[in-house]
Amino acid sequence: MQEKSAKLPDHEKVYRRLREMILFGELTPGQAVTIQGLVDTLGVGMTPVREAIRRLTSEGALVFQGNRRVTVPVLDADEWEEIAFARLVVEPELSRLAVENMGPEDITRLVSIDDQLNAAIDRGDVRGYLEHNYRFHAALYELAGAQVLLSIANMLWLRGGPSLRVVLGRFGTANLPDKHAEAMAGMRNGDGLAVAEAIRGDIEQGIVTVRAHLVGEKI
């Protein structure tokens, strides 16, 4: 849920790349990586990596483990429920506000992203599913023009996304329903409340998916 820019400073490029590694499962909860390892993997200098880690640590997406190592946090069930509660408050409201600002070209873009998401599901592509599901929600929420709520949603996805990746890694993309079709129908009708309700249902399905498989475990 970030702006795209043709020219970005190195620290911003590294931040976005590392953020995607967390969101889309390249770094999993509890997996420790060294700062030097990230420097080597990303092919950049130490300074932009340190800056990216600093930002992601402040957002709760990474934690320091000592010896120049960082990890994606391992959530317990209570933390997962807090994230779930906050998402169900913030994201439907972003969706409702987005409808007030969207035009036909925005709906077309969302349909295209969702088509790619469905294709990823059909071929069992977990990484593709996670990426396009995120892109769909990000594109929708950015239309809301509500920067405070958007920043909260960004943080919640960073904190909760890796746990969904754990579940999909075990069970794959089969039987992954969503409410995107209902949301897009509401968009075409200009019905913000219907879109908000569809997105609420969509989020609840993901919450239940994780809870059903991982309650009592650390995720």
Side-chain angles (χ1 to χ4, degrees):
M1 303 170 200
Q2 301 172 311
E3 298 178 6
K4 291 185 177 180
S5 175
K7 295 182 179 180
L8 294 170
D10 286 346
H11 68 84
E12 182 66 21
K13 291 178 182 177
V14 173
Y15 169 77
R16 295 188 184 199
R17 177 68 183 100
L18 188 52
R19 191 173 183 276
E20 288 186 346
M21 290 172 69
I22 296 167
L23 280 169
F24 307 144
E26 293 177 58
L27 296 178
T28 58
Q31 175 187 349
V33 293
T34 64
I35 295 175
Q36 185 59 54
L38 290 172
V39 168
D40 295 340
T41 297
L42 299 174
V44 295
M46 185 74 74
T47 298
V49 169
R50 287 185 181 278
E51 173 62 15
I53 289 172
R54 183 195 65 76
R55 290 175 64 183
L56 289 162
T57 300
S58 71
E59 293 171 334
L62 291 173
V63 293
F64 281 108
Q65 297 288 9
N67 296 322
R68 298 186 178 182
R69 292 176 180 269
V70 292
T71 65
V72 176
V74 178
L75 301 181
D76 61 29
D78 289 340
E79 289 170 323
W80 175 250
E81 293 304 326
E82 288 183 40
I83 291 169
F85 173 82
R87 288 192 64 196
L88 289 169
V89 173
V90 171
E91 294 181 46
E93 178 62 7
L94 281 168
S95 304
R96 184 188 70 80
L97 293 170
V99 175
E100 299 176 4
N101 299 323
M102 68 175 49
E105 69 283 359
D106 299 310
I107 297 174
T108 298
R109 180 160 64 105
L110 288 163
V111 169
S112 176
I113 296 170
D114 195 55
D115 286 344
Q116 294 174 75
L117 184 156
N118 291 330
I121 291 175
D122 289 343
R123 63 177 180 266
D125 178 1
V126 171
R127 173 64 167 74
Y129 167 81
L130 289 168
E131 178 174 352
H132 294 301
N133 185 54
Y134 171 80
R135 302 295 182 206
F136 180 89
H137 286 265
L140 175 60
Y141 300 160
E142 284 171 358
L143 294 171
Q147 293 305 309
V148 173
L149 292 179
L150 184 62
S151 67
I152 294 170
N154 279 327
M155 182 272 291
L156 294 170
W157 274 72
L158 273 171
R159 294 293 299 274
S163 297
L164 180 59
R165 174 63 179 86
V166 170
V167 173
L168 296 183
R170 296 179 186 178
F171 300 99
T173 62
N175 302 315
L176 276 177
D178 60 44
K179 298 287 186 178
H180 293 182
E182 291 90 333
M184 288 184 289
M187 294 173 207
R188 294 186 182 98
N189 293 328
D191 188 341
L193 291 177
V195 175
E197 188 59 28
I199 292 300
R200 181 185 302 277
D202 185 64
I203 295 166
E204 286 176 335
Q205 288 180 340
I207 290 168
V208 169
T209 297
V210 173
R211 184 186 294 135
H213 295 294
L214 297 177
V215 162
E217 299 180 22
K218 290 187 175 182
I219 51 178

